[in-house]
Amino acid sequence: MSDPRLAHIRNFCIVAHIDHGKSTLADRLLELTHTLSPQQMKAQVLDDMDLEREKGITIKSHAIAMEYVAGDGRTFELNLIDTPGHVDFTYEVSRSLAACEGAVLVVDASQGIEAQTLSNYMLAREQGLAVVGAINKVDLPAARPDDAALEIEHVTGIPAEKVLRMSAKTGSGVPELLEQIVRDIPPPAGDPDAPLRALIFDSKFDQYRGVVALVRVVDGAVRSGDGIRFLSTGKRYEVTEVGRLRLGLEPVETLRAGQVGYVVAGVKTVADARVGDTVGAAQAEGLRPLPGFREVKSMVFSGLYPMVPEQYETLKEALGKLVLNDAALVWEPETSVALGFGFRCGFLGLLHMEIVQERLRREYQLDLIATTPSVEYHVLLESGGLVTVDNPSQMPPAGDIAAIEEPYVLAHVLTPAEYLGNIMKLCQDRRGVFVSLDYLEEKRARVAYRLPLAEIVLDYYDRLKSVSRGYASLDYEFDGYREGDVVKLDILLNGDKVDALSTIIHRDNAYEWGRSLCAKLKELIPRQMFQVAVQAALGGKVVARETIGAIRKNVTAKCYGGDITRKRKLLEKQKEGKRRMKQIGTVEVPQEAFLAVLKVER
Amino acid sequence: MGRGERRTALGPDPEKGALTVVREGPCDAAREGPCDAAQEGPCDAARDQARAGLYVHVPFCAARCSYCDFSTGTLSVAKLGRYLDALEREIARRAPPAAGLRFTSVFFGGGTPSAIGAAAFERIARVLAAAFDIAPGAEFTLEANPESVRPALLEAWSAAGVNRLSLGAQSFVPEELATLARIHAAGRPAAALALARAHGFRRLSLDLMFGFPGQTAASWDRTLEAALALAPEHFSAYCLIPEAGTPLGDAVLAGATALPAPEAQAEAYEVLTARLEAAGYGCYETSNFCRPGAEARHNLVYWLRRPYLGLGPSAHGFDGATRYGNHRALQRWAAALEAGAPPEAEVERASEESAAAEAMMLGLRLATGLRPADHPPALRAALERRYGAALAAAVAGGRLVTDGASFRIPRPLRFVADDVIAWIAAAAARARVDSRRACSVPSMPCPSPPSPAA
Ligand SMILES: Nc1nc2c(ncn2[C@@H]2O[C@H](COP(=O)(O)OP(=O)(O)O)[C@@H](O)[C@H]2O)c(=O)[nH]1
Ligand code: SF4
Ligand SMILES: [Mg+2]
């Protein structure tokens, strides 16, 4: 039961499939509650990272507090948490859900329920959140709001007639949504008089403040000068600032039970203020940590290497800083014969990997080589031991291996029924094992397959989109390890094995894969001084070969009448061009080539 | 003077302020056969005679060739007058600092030096001889276009000490001359050469061009055939560089016309090298070929990174420490001088790094290769420190050959020389960083410093 002192608070999030209009809806809510002045308004104001604006997706969670005067004249404090929508970031959704009492389920009127609508809804229900259903984009000519409402009813049990119709773009229906939020979402539970307990649902690194932990206060209160402790580590700090989350950080005196805000306490790294941890009063005995968070699990691993070795330290620092902002990123130093010193990084998925690389490039001006992504294998040795291998070059010799287990996922694909055949074929091609099929409504199917994670991480999502003309959607969860007949495929350039290009692959696909990979590498590696043999080998046996012919011409004929400076500058340019390639044995390999495996069509 | 060299005259004649003709005999390399890979390239005598160069840029042409991006324009009385006056000012400016320098070569380039009349030429030559210390027997080259070679000019040149002529033939195929917008008739170079010989010129060079749109293996053959028939002492042969802003270059860059494929250009270069070598011309530098001993001393100055002084618009100079480049446009260059201001558009002081990079890149163009011993001790040390490991790696990888004293690009790789040079530069840069990095990684043993070049 909620304390009357918390009756005016509503903490909620918006869950939706990507592009169904979460961010746009958030904009409308900010406008209607006068949280932002018209000058501060810009489209999708919460997506503040450049990358988010470009990709049109939300990467980090965001939160913002609003004041809303309801129809009955009461003033409410609304805390909205905008969440990411891509399959790689399901975890971030779960963190923000745990800070809320309710969720607005937004469904695009022309698309209907998609895989993530569903998986997020399930997460919300698991957290016991009250759900408000809303159909968005009713202004579109292709809108089928009634169908969408029926889908929502089918899935959530919310009666179709109770589902709101709105347009986040035009704003119609949004005032009604606000009313429904304060009516149907309960105020927070929690004890304002108990010792402090707050959940960290996100954390950012701020240049001036250090770690800024975004918290939902569950019990008690926190103010500047308080002693706090992080329950998982036991480390103690003194709070230097607390505040609410507006467009920026807005300091306040006290954050009370039920509220969402931030805490600054001189914490230097997020490792000491882990997302999912509980912040408690320093002096209180026997505090129980708050539940509801899922361990982050890296699904994909890849080596990141600086293009030029002098950027190693910069890369190290940059990763250190990104980790402060990105609890899902893990990294440790590694070395490669081909690439020198670099870092092994774990990512949630390929999009996450792409985003991290892109941020390293943009925010730290780093020039990077990423090695072939890999999942983590369990290798059972003849000797009885077990090693985990997430880097193909670390695969023990074939003779030492008793068996290899690979990670599996349970994948749920939602699709219009007409693409079901294509999708099932795709899953089967990817060694999928059929689990279940049901229909959400007549023309919309939900199919579940058990698939090796390795088959999903590379291009599965893109293929899925293409075989379904973009209509199918995907969510997956980790589903344990199973034995698989996988082998290591090596790439040799002029006879030298290139560790960074090795992949682990199912034996049945190895030949074809080897051929395609060689062909791709031939495309990506420029002609060199000497002919280059590109070979794919399985345990020492060459299974595919391509030859890259030698360059024939690269010479400046004239000496520019003694203009040696000009010639030297030309040389400088060519040199830089070469430095953007890695010298591997006798061959110069451009950075794109290391991701050839992602570019192979199959 | 190297062994085997024979002088026919000594100059300059102090009375006339002119230089007299020098004729060379074969050097060591020549005696052992020009085609022996280990021995080809400029002989010691030629290197020895290439100590310091004096370059004069004459920015006038009768018409602009379709590929040309040099600083040149059409001639007018007014422009010529302004040019000559400004040139005198520049000479007055540059002579005092060059007081200690004895020039072993003079080169009139352009533009078309033969486009200006005898009087203008004589005036420049006179001022030069008075202002600079030009070594007795210095090589004195003048670039001439075949159509402008006439007896009166030849006499004036000869009298002023010109002892070497470089003729822009480019092609002997009429349609190709049209493509290149060369204004001379295909038969004109033969006549010009004969006339020059009749006037006592013994050091003649022909410029040829290949790898341009429309050229075929057969037409290149025709050009080589015709050129060889003229038996000049020296050839320069350039593969076309399509420069933006030139009609031909723009057409190529826009895709309106196509260069021969790189394979065809490489083939043309191979044919060129093979045919010239068979006829007794060694390839002593990527684009230059000559009979034994007939290397252009002036070119060697550039490749050996020795000092040279440049005069005229777009001319470049180097005093051993600083490089400069004059304004390219005649008007700007002249205006600066008229205002008493420096005519340079750019000045660059060499650093140890740039000096070593230059020495490496320039030396490797020569058939005799990069010889650290050619350079002063400080530069030699810098070369070994910065490039020692990279050069050794290039040798190990087959990109270079070495006899211990010099590093050379093997013949089959000459047409990809820039790639070799860039490779070495990149390898040197990597090695520098690696050695620093390896030392900062605690668990790694610190490597011994890169071993210096042999
Ligand atoms: N026509 C129309 N377009 C909308 C509406 N709401 C959002 N959009 C558009 O749909 C796209 C995705 O919206 P966004 O808010 O970024 O979705 P998110 O990925 O769920 O955050 C954007 O181009 C929006 O402009 C709506 O009500 N009507
Ligand atoms: S003659 Fe020489 S300088 Fe004159 S336009 Fe032709 S190429 Fe250019
Ligand atoms: Mg969004």
Short mmCIF file of all heavy atoms in Angstrom, two decimals, chain B residues 254-306:
data_model
loop_
_atom_site.label_atom_id
_atom_site.label_comp_id
_atom_site.label_asym_id
_atom_site.label_seq_id
_atom_site.Cartn_x
_atom_site.Cartn_y
_atom_site.Cartn_z
N ALA B 254 37.14 13.11 -65.62
CA ALA B 254 35.69 13.11 -65.80
C ALA B 254 35.23 11.83 -66.50
O ALA B 254 34.04 11.61 -66.67
CB ALA B 254 35.26 14.33 -66.61
N GLY B 255 36.17 11.02 -66.93
CA GLY B 255 35.79 9.77 -67.58
C GLY B 255 35.46 9.93 -69.06
O GLY B 255 34.99 9.00 -69.71
N ALA B 256 35.70 11.11 -69.59
CA ALA B 256 35.41 11.35 -71.01
C ALA B 256 36.41 10.64 -71.90
O ALA B 256 36.12 10.29 -73.04
CB ALA B 256 35.40 12.85 -71.31
N THR B 257 37.59 10.44 -71.38
CA THR B 257 38.58 9.67 -72.11
C THR B 257 39.35 8.84 -71.09
O THR B 257 39.40 9.19 -69.92
CB THR B 257 39.53 10.60 -72.92
OG1 THR B 257 40.50 9.79 -73.57
CG2 THR B 257 40.25 11.58 -72.02
N ALA B 258 39.88 7.72 -71.56
CA ALA B 258 40.47 6.81 -70.59
C ALA B 258 41.96 6.65 -70.81
O ALA B 258 42.44 6.58 -71.93
CB ALA B 258 39.78 5.45 -70.67
N LEU B 259 42.68 6.58 -69.70
CA LEU B 259 44.10 6.23 -69.78
C LEU B 259 44.20 4.75 -70.13
O LEU B 259 43.29 3.98 -69.84
CB LEU B 259 44.75 6.42 -68.40
CG LEU B 259 44.88 7.84 -67.88
CD1 LEU B 259 45.46 7.80 -66.47
CD2 LEU B 259 45.78 8.65 -68.80
N PRO B 260 45.31 4.36 -70.72
CA PRO B 260 45.53 2.92 -70.86
C PRO B 260 45.52 2.28 -69.47
O PRO B 260 45.84 2.96 -68.48
CB PRO B 260 46.92 2.83 -71.49
CG PRO B 260 47.19 4.17 -72.07
CD PRO B 260 46.42 5.15 -71.25
N ALA B 261 45.14 1.02 -69.38
CA ALA B 261 45.11 0.33 -68.09
C ALA B 261 46.50 0.34 -67.47
O ALA B 261 47.49 0.41 -68.18
CB ALA B 261 44.64 -1.11 -68.29
N PRO B 262 46.57 0.28 -66.13
CA PRO B 262 47.89 0.25 -65.47
C PRO B 262 48.80 -0.83 -66.04
O PRO B 262 50.00 -0.64 -66.17
CB PRO B 262 47.55 -0.05 -64.01
CG PRO B 262 46.14 0.38 -63.84
CD PRO B 262 45.48 0.27 -65.17
N GLU B 263 48.18 -1.98 -66.39
CA GLU B 263 48.97 -3.06 -66.97
C GLU B 263 49.62 -2.60 -68.27
O GLU B 263 50.78 -2.90 -68.54
CB GLU B 263 48.10 -4.29 -67.27
CG GLU B 263 47.69 -5.10 -66.05
CD GLU B 263 46.64 -4.42 -65.19
OE1 GLU B 263 45.98 -3.47 -65.69
OE2 GLU B 263 46.49 -4.81 -64.02
N ALA B 264 48.84 -1.88 -69.08
CA ALA B 264 49.36 -1.42 -70.36
C ALA B 264 50.45 -0.36 -70.14
O ALA B 264 51.46 -0.33 -70.85
CB ALA B 264 48.23 -0.84 -71.21
N GLN B 265 50.25 0.49 -69.15
CA GLN B 265 51.27 1.49 -68.85
C GLN B 265 52.55 0.81 -68.36
O GLN B 265 53.66 1.19 -68.74
CB GLN B 265 50.75 2.47 -67.79
CG GLN B 265 49.60 3.33 -68.30
CD GLN B 265 49.15 4.36 -67.28
OE1 GLN B 265 49.18 4.11 -66.08
NE2 GLN B 265 48.71 5.52 -67.76
N ALA B 266 52.36 -0.19 -67.52
CA ALA B 266 53.53 -0.92 -67.01
C ALA B 266 54.24 -1.61 -68.17
O ALA B 266 55.48 -1.63 -68.24
CB ALA B 266 53.09 -1.94 -65.96
N GLU B 267 53.44 -2.15 -69.06
CA GLU B 267 54.00 -2.83 -70.24
C GLU B 267 54.79 -1.82 -71.07
O GLU B 267 55.89 -2.10 -71.55
CB GLU B 267 52.84 -3.44 -71.05
CG GLU B 267 53.24 -4.31 -72.21
CD GLU B 267 54.13 -5.50 -71.80
OE1 GLU B 267 53.91 -6.04 -70.69
OE2 GLU B 267 55.05 -5.83 -72.58
N ALA B 268 54.22 -0.63 -71.25
CA ALA B 268 54.89 0.40 -72.04
C ALA B 268 56.23 0.76 -71.39
O ALA B 268 57.24 0.97 -72.09
CB ALA B 268 54.01 1.65 -72.14
N TYR B 269 56.24 0.80 -70.07
CA TYR B 269 57.49 1.12 -69.38
C TYR B 269 58.52 0.01 -69.57
O TYR B 269 59.70 0.27 -69.76
CB TYR B 269 57.19 1.33 -67.89
CG TYR B 269 58.40 1.78 -67.09
CD1 TYR B 269 58.93 3.05 -67.27
CD2 TYR B 269 59.00 0.94 -66.17
CE1 TYR B 269 60.04 3.48 -66.54
CE2 TYR B 269 60.11 1.35 -65.43
CZ TYR B 269 60.63 2.63 -65.62
OH TYR B 269 61.72 3.04 -64.91
N GLU B 270 58.03 -1.23 -69.54
CA GLU B 270 58.96 -2.34 -69.73
C GLU B 270 59.54 -2.32 -71.13
O GLU B 270 60.74 -2.56 -71.33
CB GLU B 270 58.24 -3.67 -69.48
CG GLU B 270 58.39 -4.09 -68.02
CD GLU B 270 57.36 -5.13 -67.60
OE1 GLU B 270 56.98 -5.99 -68.44
OE2 GLU B 270 56.92 -5.06 -66.42
N VAL B 271 58.69 -2.06 -72.10
CA VAL B 271 59.15 -1.99 -73.49
C VAL B 271 60.18 -0.87 -73.63
O VAL B 271 61.24 -1.04 -74.24
CB VAL B 271 57.95 -1.76 -74.44
CG1 VAL B 271 58.43 -1.40 -75.85
CG2 VAL B 271 57.07 -3.00 -74.47
N LEU B 272 59.84 0.26 -73.02
CA LEU B 272 60.75 1.40 -73.06
C LEU B 272 62.13 1.01 -72.51
O LEU B 272 63.17 1.22 -73.16
CB LEU B 272 60.14 2.52 -72.22
CG LEU B 272 61.05 3.68 -71.81
CD1 LEU B 272 61.24 4.62 -73.00
CD2 LEU B 272 60.47 4.45 -70.63
N THR B 273 62.13 0.45 -71.32
CA THR B 273 63.39 0.11 -70.66
C THR B 273 64.17 -0.90 -71.50
O THR B 273 65.37 -0.75 -71.73
CB THR B 273 63.09 -0.49 -69.27
OG1 THR B 273 62.06 0.26 -68.68
CG2 THR B 273 64.30 -0.44 -68.37
N ALA B 274 63.44 -1.91 -71.96
CA ALA B 274 64.11 -2.97 -72.71
C ALA B 274 64.72 -2.43 -74.01
O ALA B 274 65.87 -2.70 -74.34
CB ALA B 274 63.12 -4.10 -73.00
N ARG B 275 63.91 -1.64 -74.72
CA ARG B 275 64.41 -1.16 -76.02
C ARG B 275 65.57 -0.20 -75.83
O ARG B 275 66.56 -0.25 -76.57
CB ARG B 275 63.28 -0.48 -76.79
CG ARG B 275 62.22 -1.50 -77.21
CD ARG B 275 61.56 -1.14 -78.50
NE ARG B 275 62.52 -0.94 -79.59
CZ ARG B 275 62.19 -0.67 -80.83
NH1 ARG B 275 60.92 -0.58 -81.14
NH2 ARG B 275 63.09 -0.49 -81.75
N LEU B 276 65.45 0.69 -74.87
CA LEU B 276 66.54 1.64 -74.68
C LEU B 276 67.80 0.93 -74.20
O LEU B 276 68.91 1.23 -74.65
CB LEU B 276 66.14 2.74 -73.69
CG LEU B 276 65.06 3.71 -74.18
CD1 LEU B 276 64.95 4.90 -73.23
CD2 LEU B 276 65.34 4.22 -75.59
N GLU B 277 67.64 -0.03 -73.32
CA GLU B 277 68.82 -0.73 -72.84
C GLU B 277 69.49 -1.51 -73.96
O GLU B 277 70.72 -1.54 -74.07
CB GLU B 277 68.47 -1.61 -71.64
CG GLU B 277 68.29 -0.75 -70.40
CD GLU B 277 68.00 -1.54 -69.13
OE1 GLU B 277 67.71 -2.74 -69.22
OE2 GLU B 277 68.08 -0.92 -68.04
N ALA B 278 68.66 -2.11 -74.79
CA ALA B 278 69.21 -2.86 -75.92
C ALA B 278 70.01 -1.93 -76.83
O ALA B 278 70.98 -2.35 -77.47
CB ALA B 278 68.09 -3.54 -76.69
N ALA B 279 69.60 -0.68 -76.85
CA ALA B 279 70.30 0.28 -77.72
C ALA B 279 71.44 0.98 -76.97
O ALA B 279 72.01 1.93 -77.50
CB ALA B 279 69.29 1.30 -78.24
N GLY B 280 71.72 0.55 -75.75
CA GLY B 280 72.87 1.11 -75.05
C GLY B 280 72.57 2.25 -74.11
O GLY B 280 73.46 2.95 -73.66
N TYR B 281 71.28 2.44 -73.80
CA TYR B 281 70.92 3.49 -72.86
C TYR B 281 70.57 2.86 -71.51
O TYR B 281 69.63 2.07 -71.43
CB TYR B 281 69.71 4.28 -73.34
CG TYR B 281 69.93 5.02 -74.64
CD1 TYR B 281 69.66 4.40 -75.86
CD2 TYR B 281 70.40 6.33 -74.65
CE1 TYR B 281 69.85 5.06 -77.06
CE2 TYR B 281 70.60 7.00 -75.85
CZ TYR B 281 70.32 6.37 -77.05
OH TYR B 281 70.52 7.02 -78.23
N GLY B 282 71.29 3.21 -70.50
CA GLY B 282 70.99 2.68 -69.17
C GLY B 282 69.94 3.54 -68.50
O GLY B 282 69.86 4.74 -68.71
N CYS B 283 69.11 2.87 -67.68
CA CYS B 283 68.10 3.61 -66.93
C CYS B 283 68.73 4.03 -65.61
O CYS B 283 68.79 3.26 -64.68
CB CYS B 283 66.89 2.71 -66.69
SG CYS B 283 65.67 3.42 -65.62
N TYR B 284 69.22 5.26 -65.53
CA TYR B 284 69.93 5.65 -64.30
C TYR B 284 69.02 6.24 -63.26
O TYR B 284 69.38 6.38 -62.09
CB TYR B 284 71.10 6.60 -64.61
CG TYR B 284 70.71 7.99 -65.09
CD1 TYR B 284 70.66 9.05 -64.20
CD2 TYR B 284 70.44 8.23 -66.42
CE1 TYR B 284 70.31 10.33 -64.63
CE2 TYR B 284 70.10 9.51 -66.87
CZ TYR B 284 70.04 10.55 -65.97
OH TYR B 284 69.70 11.79 -66.39
N GLU B 285 67.83 6.58 -63.69
CA GLU B 285 66.80 7.08 -62.77
C GLU B 285 65.47 6.65 -63.36
O GLU B 285 65.37 6.49 -64.59
CB GLU B 285 66.92 8.60 -62.63
CG GLU B 285 66.06 9.22 -61.55
CD GLU B 285 64.66 9.58 -62.02
OE1 GLU B 285 64.45 9.77 -63.23
OE2 GLU B 285 63.78 9.64 -61.17
N THR B 286 64.46 6.49 -62.51
CA THR B 286 63.16 5.98 -62.95
C THR B 286 62.76 6.43 -64.35
O THR B 286 62.36 5.61 -65.17
CB THR B 286 62.07 6.46 -61.95
OG1 THR B 286 62.54 6.23 -60.63
CG2 THR B 286 60.77 5.74 -62.17
N SER B 287 62.87 7.71 -64.62
CA SER B 287 62.38 8.23 -65.90
C SER B 287 63.50 8.68 -66.84
O SER B 287 63.21 9.29 -67.86
CB SER B 287 61.45 9.42 -65.65
OG SER B 287 60.43 9.07 -64.77
N ASN B 288 64.74 8.44 -66.47
CA ASN B 288 65.84 8.95 -67.28
C ASN B 288 66.82 7.87 -67.72
O ASN B 288 67.18 6.99 -66.94
CB ASN B 288 66.58 10.05 -66.50
CG ASN B 288 65.75 11.32 -66.41
OD1 ASN B 288 65.54 12.00 -67.41
ND2 ASN B 288 65.25 11.60 -65.22
N PHE B 289 67.22 7.99 -68.97
CA PHE B 289 68.04 6.97 -69.62
C PHE B 289 69.17 7.68 -70.36
O PHE B 289 68.97 8.76 -70.91
CB PHE B 289 67.21 6.21 -70.65
CG PHE B 289 65.98 5.57 -70.08
CD1 PHE B 289 64.83 6.34 -69.81
CD2 PHE B 289 65.95 4.21 -69.78
CE1 PHE B 289 63.70 5.75 -69.26
CE2 PHE B 289 64.81 3.62 -69.24
CZ PHE B 289 63.69 4.39 -68.98
N CYS B 290 70.33 7.07 -70.39
CA CYS B 290 71.39 7.73 -71.16
C CYS B 290 72.47 6.76 -71.59
O CYS B 290 72.58 5.66 -71.09
CB CYS B 290 72.01 8.86 -70.34
SG CYS B 290 72.99 8.28 -68.94
N ARG B 291 73.21 7.23 -72.55
CA ARG B 291 74.44 6.54 -72.93
C ARG B 291 75.40 6.69 -71.77
O ARG B 291 75.30 7.66 -71.01
CB ARG B 291 75.02 7.23 -74.18
CG ARG B 291 74.25 6.95 -75.45
CD ARG B 291 74.87 5.77 -76.18
NE ARG B 291 73.99 5.23 -77.22
CZ ARG B 291 73.84 5.77 -78.42
NH1 ARG B 291 74.47 6.88 -78.75
NH2 ARG B 291 73.06 5.19 -79.32
N PRO B 292 76.34 5.78 -71.63
CA PRO B 292 77.27 5.84 -70.49
C PRO B 292 77.88 7.23 -70.33
O PRO B 292 78.38 7.81 -71.29
CB PRO B 292 78.33 4.81 -70.85
CG PRO B 292 77.62 3.84 -71.74
CD PRO B 292 76.60 4.64 -72.51
N GLY B 293 77.78 7.74 -69.13
CA GLY B 293 78.40 9.03 -68.83
C GLY B 293 77.57 10.24 -69.16
O GLY B 293 77.92 11.35 -68.78
N ALA B 294 76.44 10.03 -69.83
CA ALA B 294 75.68 11.19 -70.28
C ALA B 294 74.54 11.58 -69.33
O ALA B 294 73.58 12.25 -69.72
CB ALA B 294 75.13 10.94 -71.69
N GLU B 295 74.63 11.19 -68.09
CA GLU B 295 73.59 11.55 -67.12
C GLU B 295 73.46 13.07 -67.02
O GLU B 295 74.45 13.79 -67.09
CB GLU B 295 73.93 11.02 -65.72
CG GLU B 295 73.97 9.53 -65.60
CD GLU B 295 75.34 8.95 -65.95
OE1 GLU B 295 76.24 9.73 -66.32
OE2 GLU B 295 75.47 7.72 -65.85
N ALA B 296 72.24 13.51 -66.81
CA ALA B 296 72.02 14.94 -66.62
C ALA B 296 72.50 15.28 -65.21
O ALA B 296 71.93 14.84 -64.23
CB ALA B 296 70.55 15.28 -66.77
N ARG B 297 73.57 16.05 -65.15
CA ARG B 297 74.11 16.42 -63.83
C ARG B 297 73.07 17.18 -63.03
O ARG B 297 72.96 17.02 -61.81
CB ARG B 297 75.33 17.33 -63.98
CG ARG B 297 76.63 16.79 -64.57
CD ARG B 297 76.73 15.32 -64.69
NE ARG B 297 78.03 14.90 -65.23
CZ ARG B 297 78.18 13.96 -66.17
NH1 ARG B 297 77.13 13.34 -66.69
NH2 ARG B 297 79.38 13.61 -66.57
N HIS B 298 72.35 18.02 -63.75
CA HIS B 298 71.40 18.85 -63.04
C HIS B 298 70.32 18.02 -62.33
O HIS B 298 69.96 18.28 -61.18
CB HIS B 298 70.75 19.84 -64.00
CG HIS B 298 69.96 20.89 -63.29
ND1 HIS B 298 70.54 21.96 -62.66
CD2 HIS B 298 68.63 21.00 -63.06
CE1 HIS B 298 69.62 22.69 -62.09
NE2 HIS B 298 68.44 22.13 -62.31
N ASN B 299 69.82 16.98 -63.01
CA ASN B 299 68.84 16.10 -62.37
C ASN B 299 69.43 15.40 -61.16
O ASN B 299 68.76 15.20 -60.15
CB ASN B 299 68.37 15.04 -63.37
CG ASN B 299 67.18 15.53 -64.17
OD1 ASN B 299 66.56 16.51 -63.80
ND2 ASN B 299 66.89 14.86 -65.27
N LEU B 300 70.68 15.01 -61.29
CA LEU B 300 71.31 14.30 -60.17
C LEU B 300 71.36 15.17 -58.91
O LEU B 300 71.27 14.66 -57.80
CB LEU B 300 72.73 13.86 -60.55
CG LEU B 300 72.81 12.72 -61.57
CD1 LEU B 300 74.27 12.37 -61.86
CD2 LEU B 300 72.08 11.48 -61.05
N VAL B 301 71.51 16.46 -59.11
CA VAL B 301 71.51 17.37 -57.96
C VAL B 301 70.23 17.17 -57.15
O VAL B 301 70.25 17.05 -55.93
CB VAL B 301 71.65 18.83 -58.41
CG1 VAL B 301 71.32 19.79 -57.28
CG2 VAL B 301 73.07 19.10 -58.91
N TYR B 302 69.11 17.08 -57.85
CA TYR B 302 67.83 16.88 -57.15
C TYR B 302 67.83 15.55 -56.42
O TYR B 302 67.47 15.45 -55.25
CB TYR B 302 66.65 16.88 -58.13
CG TYR B 302 66.44 18.18 -58.88
CD1 TYR B 302 65.96 18.17 -60.19
CD2 TYR B 302 66.68 19.42 -58.28
CE1 TYR B 302 65.73 19.34 -60.88
CE2 TYR B 302 66.46 20.60 -58.97
CZ TYR B 302 65.99 20.56 -60.28
OH TYR B 302 65.77 21.71 -60.96
N TRP B 303 68.21 14.50 -57.14
CA TRP B 303 68.08 13.16 -56.56
C TRP B 303 69.07 12.92 -55.44
O TRP B 303 68.86 12.09 -54.57
CB TRP B 303 68.25 12.07 -57.63
CG TRP B 303 67.33 12.24 -58.81
CD1 TRP B 303 67.69 12.25 -60.12
CD2 TRP B 303 65.92 12.40 -58.80
NE1 TRP B 303 66.60 12.43 -60.93
CE2 TRP B 303 65.50 12.53 -60.14
CE3 TRP B 303 64.95 12.48 -57.79
CZ2 TRP B 303 64.17 12.72 -60.49
CZ3 TRP B 303 63.63 12.67 -58.14
CH2 TRP B 303 63.25 12.79 -59.48
N LEU B 304 70.20 13.64 -55.52
CA LEU B 304 71.20 13.43 -54.47
C LEU B 304 71.00 14.40 -53.30
O LEU B 304 71.78 14.41 -52.35
CB LEU B 304 72.61 13.60 -55.04
CG LEU B 304 73.01 12.50 -56.04
CD1 LEU B 304 74.30 12.84 -56.77
CD2 LEU B 304 73.15 11.16 -55.32
N ARG B 305 69.96 15.17 -53.38
CA ARG B 305 69.61 16.12 -52.33
C ARG B 305 70.74 17.12 -52.10
O ARG B 305 71.13 17.43 -50.99
CB ARG B 305 69.26 15.40 -51.02
CG ARG B 305 68.43 16.27 -50.08
CD ARG B 305 67.93 15.53 -48.86
NE ARG B 305 67.22 16.46 -47.98
CZ ARG B 305 67.83 17.22 -47.07
NH1 ARG B 305 69.15 17.14 -46.91
NH2 ARG B 305 67.14 18.05 -46.33
N ARG B 306 71.24 17.63 -53.21
CA ARG B 306 72.26 18.66 -53.13
C ARG B 306 71.62 20.01 -53.38
O ARG B 306 70.49 20.09 -53.86
CB ARG B 306 73.37 18.33 -54.13
CG ARG B 306 74.12 17.09 -53.62
CD ARG B 306 75.23 16.63 -54.49
NE ARG B 306 75.84 15.45 -53.88
CZ ARG B 306 76.63 14.59 -54.51
NH1 ARG B 306 76.92 14.78 -55.78
NH2 ARG B 306 77.13 13.56 -53.88
#
